[in-house]
Amino acid sequence: MSTDNIKDVVREKYGQAAQQARAGSTSCCGTSRAQDGCCDPITSNLYSVLESGEVPELAIRASLGCGNPTALAELKPGEVVLDLGSGGGIDVLLSAKRVGPTGKAYGLDMTDEMLALARENQKKAGIGNVEFLKGEIESIPLPDNSVDVIISNCVINLSADKDRVLREAFRVLRPGGRFAVSDVVVKGEVPAEVRKNVELWIGCIAGALRDTEYVSKLAGAGFEQIEIEPTRIYDVADARQFLAGQGIDVDALAPQIEGKFMSAFVRASKPA
């Protein structure tokens, strides 16, 4: 899989997700549980009922994350927040409420359909301290030292050049700024069949970094105080769900990856 191929497939998938959200379909984020009919154990049951009530329903339906970075990032009034891969805007809108009118929340996305959806959700929510930018997370269209907190929700694993993403995140953070993202992370080795599957890449699995590799890459970009906190570890039943329909031997592979994939909250800081 080439970098351009991955980027094209991701863009197409998220464009389709935006269209499906408009049509009334859901990604199962929200407050739904995987066992309640959600097809994806990664995106299910991430937001509280209270949080879901703070944003338009369309923002919930368009969400494809693996965590709730806004709840974990400890945002403060007056801070400037950037969401890498902001999708339908749910985490940007929640962040804007946390930082208040003296702060600001940026959302960055490369998909026209998601940007249109996010701006529509912003208008419906009536939130003014938000700006959605078109661009790629490997080349953030903001100046050096311009944001206090970077969040992201299951998007960095989709990039084919994670080192560049992390260098860019470091660049735009102010000294003392915080990196606080939700992502899928791997413990140990996984079979090559999983790593090579493009459908599993856009499903947030094939491109996930090992925990030790994530720490190494963050340190290489200049970050310190690096922590990885598991928030959900996927068992064999979960593995069967996200491997199904991908043209691979589910019975053989699911037991091999049981407990190796997890949603995690990744923290780091830029030296002051």
Side-chain angles (χ1 to χ4, degrees):
M1 293 182 287
S2 70
T3 299
D4 289 340
N5 175 246
I6 289 169
K7 196 169 291 182
D8 289 343
V9 172
V10 170
R11 184 182 287 110
E12 181 181 3
K13 180 208 174 172
Y14 282 83
Q16 290 172 351
Q19 294 168 358
Q20 290 166 358
R22 286 190 184 280
S25 299
T26 177
S27 67
C28 303
C29 263
T31 57
S32 300
R33 297 176 300 166
Q35 56 266 45
D36 289 340
C38 176
C39 58
D40 187 353
I42 294 176
T43 66
S44 63
N45 197 29
L46 301 178
Y47 298 93
S48 69
V49 173
L50 181 62
E51 288 169 320
S52 299
E54 291 187 71
V55 297
E57 182 184 349
L58 193 54
I60 296 290
R61 290 206 303 265
S63 183
L64 289 159
C66 62
N68 186 346
T70 303
L72 297 170
E74 300 177 353
L75 301 177
K76 303 176 182 66
E79 289 188 318
V80 177
V81 184
L82 168 62
D83 182 13
L84 300 180
S86 49
I90 182 171
D91 294 315
V92 179
L93 299 178
L94 290 172
S95 295
K97 287 176 174 286
R98 304 296 186 273
V99 301
T102 59
K104 184 166 185 175
Y106 289 101
L108 175 64
D109 206 280
M110 67 176 182
T111 310
D112 289 327
E113 296 89 341
M114 278 296 188
L115 285 166
L117 201 65
R119 289 169 179 144
E120 182 179 328
N121 286 326
Q122 177 191 358
K123 187 175 180 180
K124 287 180 180 177
I127 299 175
N129 59 330
V130 164
E131 184 176 349
F132 289 102
L133 308 170
K134 183 174 182 179
E136 299 177 356
I137 63 174
E138 297 85 359
S139 184
I140 299 171
L142 287 173
D144 298 356
N145 308 316
S146 57
V147 303
D148 299 297
V149 186
I150 283 182
I151 64 170
S152 184
N153 200 344
C154 207
V155 172
I156 293 175
N157 70 76
L158 297 173
S159 174
D161 192 349
K162 297 174 180 63
D163 289 309
R164 187 172 174 186
V165 174
L166 298 179
R167 289 196 301 269
E168 277 290 275
F170 188 87
R171 178 184 66 79
V172 301
L173 276 173
R174 291 173 179 149
R178 309 192 303 284
F179 179 88
V181 311
S182 293
D183 217 344
V184 174
V185 180
V186 182
K187 288 186 73 70
E189 295 288 346
V190 297
E193 297 98 309
V194 173
R195 290 293 192 190
K196 293 176 181 177
N197 189 299
V198 69
E199 288 299 320
L200 289 177
W201 191 292
I202 61 175
C204 304
I205 295 299
L209 290 173
R210 287 184 64 169
D211 51 356
T212 53
E213 191 177 11
Y214 218 135
V215 170
S216 176
K217 288 180 180 296
L218 281 164
F223 287 98
E224 60 183 20
Q225 297 179 306
I226 302 164
E227 299 177 13
I228 296 180
E229 176 188 343
T231 55
R232 184 180 294 179
I233 298 174
Y234 301 108
D235 60 22
V236 70
D238 297 326
R240 286 182 175 279
Q241 285 192 62
F242 55 65
L243 292 175
Q246 307 303 336
I248 54 181
D249 189 341
V250 175
D251 290 335
L253 290 177
Q256 294 182 48
I257 65 173
E258 179 181 12
K260 290 188 175 180
F261 284 92
M262 61 184 180
S263 292
F265 186 54
V266 184
R267 294 182 179 90
S269 62
K270 183 172 180 176

